[in-house]
Structures are given as structure tokens and as C-alpha cells.
Amino acid sequence: MGTPQRVLLAPCALLLLAVALQLAGASHVIHRSLEAEAAPPSVPASIVSPLHRTGYHFQPPRNWINDPNAPMYYKGWYHLFYQYNPKGAVWGNIVWAHSVSRDLINWIALEPAIYPSIPSDQYGCWSGSATLLPDGTPAITYTGISRSDINYQVQNIAFPKNKSDPLLREWVKPAELNPIAVPEGGINATQFRDPTTAWYADGHWRMLVGGVRGTRGLAFVYRSRDFRRWARAKHPLHSALTGMWECPDFFPVSGSGQENGLDTSESGAKYVLKNSLDLTRYDYYTVGSYDKRKDRYVPDDPAGDERRLRYDYGNFYASKTFYDPAKRRRVLLGWANESDSVPDDKAKGWAGIHAIPRKIWLDPSGKQLLQWPVEEVEKLRGKPVSVAGKVVRPGEHVEVTGLATYQADVEVSFEVSSLEKAEPFDPAYANDAQKLCGVKGADAKGGVGPFGLWVLASADLQEKTAVFFRVFKDGYGKPKVLMCTDPTKSSLSPDLYKPTFAGFVDTDISSGKITLRSLIDRSVVESFGAGGRTCILSRVYPSIAIGKDAHLYVFNNGEADVKVSHLTAWEMKKPLMNGA
């Protein structure tokens, strides 16, 4: 794994390490790392490049990773399965890798759980979900590829071989049941995948499978009385003219502003339907109502744009939520791919990470979800530095010193002196915040903003990634807030994909106050604006702003003073990450 580095373990990580050592010494070896499962890799583990490897975001020791699958809490352990290529740092040869954790932050790698072994998944085991049955037995439903000639997709089911094993190391696929759903009745067999966690209502289990008819993305409903034999309902749960729906997710939420999560089979005040849109590679969701009798979902704004709300306005896809009964919360997991080239991925020996798990709940307005990093990530906080009451005048920037910022957690509260100089908002950008950010980036001087953070910046500012706000004024004089991540100057390396990412923030900034939190981790910047109303994850690959040469600044390129009411930045320790 390149140059050995000192790993600082939290107490929970030490416990996990002890458990891992116990497992490794057992007569039946159950803590085989992902290395042990791999065929000859594209790059030997000893020379996997650590240059841009994240320190505390989830990833295997090497090779390709994509969708999180079937997350669940079982007998005291969090389980995460994920799409993984044991043979290299590119997509292909996909199996379900498996890691377990006590806290969603420190992870132990187990042997792959699901891999091609039956006729209905012999050419691939794609994404799926976990459901806990009434007797406590977990069941996994997933997409298998049963024919190689046309990428023929079917849905399969697996059960633990020994449900008393809290680590769920072995899974069986009953031959008499599989496949449980096939693309009959005019379904496009090449776009029929990713079954959801099932829910129980009115004597039947239901699950969704993503699909498409023409250009209409839809969520097929499948029903079962016994969770073994399934039949497709006549009508989909919902559909929209958006193209193929991948990785659908459907779950209830508590009342507006209530942070406690609900199990998927509980009744909620509202429901969330999410899809990963194959055409754009972003995750979209709506909030609405569910009619259990008709198995129909209706968004609260049925005439609205079903691509208006996103979990994340950056590099974030194929997400999955699960209900965590230990802390009565719903947790969101998502995949972020690389923004460098395939040759770069092969050379460094790894590709892909997962975002920090997020707690999600319904905003007090009831119109959208709020997201926040799970509280356990704060266990990794080390040395802090704070700034308070610092005014950053137009054109100025102020460095935050006294800590290493290449692996950090930064929380800051801003206060703008006046909104009078806010620029007029061009309604042509009303549905395209990302394009607006591309036109008015971090270096384009404005009235109120851009102001925010330069992260992973070099001392001479040749390299810098900007996370910022910019306030406009609409035709009625009402403030409109843009949040943006601008990585266009993040690296001097050529041939990198460096798109700006942006979303509008539905917040009241009439007081001039707004908050920002950024999780900085070597090649990822994951930011949460206004308490988690707008989130942006971006991948960056600095060439000189690396390690101790990375700097952190507060900047203001607007015409109004901006006060840093309070800023605290923490160095972040490394957790136990799959034995790496």
C-alpha cells in the first residue's frame, strides 16, 4: 500500500481491529480481505498509489467500487455490500463485496457475499437491497444477468446460510425460487434492474424494480404474500418522462422537521421516491403521498419538474437508504466515481469512493429533505482551530492556519453586512444552477458574493477549489441563493474533468446569515449548505496542494463585507478502513 502511514484509531476502531484479529485466527477463515478474493490485479497492492486516496471516506484497499447495496443493521453490526471488481480498477467482473462496522465509520472487510453462481446471475450480480422479515431474517434481492448476448436482466433472492451469524458471511440462493422476477409483458430486458427494500401493507409485501418504456422512466411494483413468489402489479407505482430509472428507493418519512426515521413498512406522514437517472447520472427525488390500496404514489407537486430536487448537486449517484433501528434514523449512502481518466485509475490501482453516510429527514417546510453527516464521523475529529468575528472585506482572503487541512472537517457561519448589492437574477438560469455557476464562478466578482472557502489550495493559489455562496435578487426583490463548488483551478494536472457543480438553496437569508460545512479528504470535498438543504460532492486531484502543502482560506469576491461569525476546523484522523 505504498509508504506506510501512521493510522490513528478511535477506541471503536481498536475494538474492530481486535475483532478482526479474532476472526482471522479462526479455524474457518472469515476475515479474508478483498485482496484475498482478487484475481491478479491491474496494479499490485504494494504499489497502489496513495497520492489521492481518501483518508476517511469508504473504499476498499484497491480496485473498482460503485453502487452501495443492501445496507442494513443486524445484530449489532452495520452491513454494507457494494459493487466491486476484484480484478482491477475499471468496471467489470462485478461481485458484491461485503464490509461490516459498529459505527458506519470504521470498517472490516469480509469475503464477497454475492457472486455469479447460478444460471440467473451467471453473467453478473448487479445492485439490490436488503429487507428484514418479521422473524428477523434478512433477505437480499438483486439483479442478475442471465444471458450475455443481450445483457438480459432478472431479479433474484438470497438468504443467509446461518442467520445466527451476526456477520452474515454466507448466503444461499434457493434454486426453486430464482429468478423471482423476469422481464415479461413487454418490459425492456436490458433496462430492468435494482430492486428496492420491500415494505409490507394490507397482507402483501411490495418491492419496486426500475425500468423504462420508451422515454418514460418507471418503478414497477412486485407483490408477494410469502416473500418467495412474486407477481408484477398491473400499474407502476409512478412514472415520468425522464428516461431509465436506476436504483429506485421508496420510503416513509416522519412529519415536517421530525428527525427520527421510519422503518420502510411503517406509515409515514409523507413518502420519498428517488431514482438515479441514467441519462444525467444524478439522483433525483420527490416528496409526496402513497395510496396503499391502489399502490400509487403522487408527488406533492404533480405538475412540477421531477428533476428539481436532488440529494446532491455534485458527483453522487446510485444511492441507497436504510432504516437504522439502533438510532432511529434513516441513513443515506451514495457512490462518487473518479473524475480523472481510466488510464489514471489503472495506474493508481483504485477507482471510486462512497460519500460519508448521511442522516436524512424532512425539512420543516415539508418540501424537501435535509441531510447531515452521521454523528459518528465526529469521532475522527482531532486538533481544532477556531476563528470568530473576522470580517473579510471585498477582494480579501484570510488563511485558516494551525492545522493540516488536506484531511479536515470545517464548519463556518457567515454573516453578510448587506443584501442591497445583490445582482439581478436571470430567469434563464432558473432550472440550471450548474450553468449559472459556470458563468459566475468563484473568480467572477459579484455584489453579494461569491464568498466562502478555498480548500485544498496551494500557498500561491495556483491551485484551489472554491465552495461558495452567491446571492441574487429575483424580479420581486426576493433573495435567491446559489451554492457552488468550483474546481476549475483545483489542479495544474492536464486532462482532468473539472466541472462546476451547483444548486439553489431554499433558505431565508434576509438576516444575512448562512452556514457551510465541508468535509475535505484529499481528493474529495463534500459540502453541506444551510444546515444540509443543499449538498455538493466534488472530486479534485491537486498536484501541488497535497498533504501539508494544502491550505484553507476564507474568501470574499463580492462588494459587501462578510463576517465569519464563527469557524471551527478539525484535523480528521484515519479510521480503520477495510484493513487498509
Side-chain angles (χ1 to χ4, degrees), residues 85-104:
N85 179 5
K87 295 184 178 181
V90 295
W91 187 88
N93 312 299
I94 295 298
V95 303
W96 277 40
H98 183 194
S99 295
V100 293
S101 173
R102 291 287 196 185
D103 61 2
L104 292 171

Side-chain angles (χ1 to χ4, degrees), residues 34 42-43 48-49 52-54 58-67 82-92 94 315 335-354 523 539 541:
L34 297 178
S42 54
V43 174
V48 167
S49 172
H52 293 117
R53 274 187 71 86
T54 58
F58 182 91
Q59 60 185 157
R62 62 180 183 190
N63 296 337
W64 170 275
I65 177 179
N66 57 291
D67 306 8
Y82 49 97
Q83 301 277 282
Y84 175 71
N85 179 5
K87 295 184 178 181
V90 295
W91 187 88
I94 295 298
N315 185 342
W335 165 53
N337 64 4
E338 302 299 314
S339 294
D340 55 4
S341 67
V342 171
D344 287 335
D345 293 343
K346 290 181 177 179
K348 69 192 184 193
W350 56 274
I353 64 167
H354 285 177
S523 66
R539 302 301 308 278
Y541 308 89

Side-chain angles (χ1 to χ4, degrees), residues 158-202:
F159 298 97
K161 185 175 182 179
N162 175 14
K163 68 178 185 180
S164 67
D165 174 14
L167 299 182
L168 298 173
R169 293 159 295 185
E170 296 182 85
W171 292 79
V172 295
K173 310 166 184 176
E176 70 275 15
L177 300 181
N178 284 307
I180 59 171
V182 297
E184 85 291 349
I187 293 176
N188 184 338
T190 67
Q191 294 185 304
F192 174 63
R193 53 186 177 268
D194 310 335
T196 65
T197 296
W199 70 97
Y200 190 80
D202 298 333

Side-chain angles (χ1 to χ4, degrees), residues 311-341:
Y311 282 155
D312 192 292
Y313 292 84
N315 185 342
F316 184 95
Y317 192 68
S319 61
K320 180 72 65 178
T321 68
F322 74 101
Y323 174 65
D324 174 12
K327 295 200 172 183
R328 298 184 65 225
R329 59 186 174 180
R330 183 156 289 270
V331 177
L332 169 68
L333 304 169
W335 165 53
N337 64 4
E338 302 299 314
S339 294
D340 55 4
S341 67

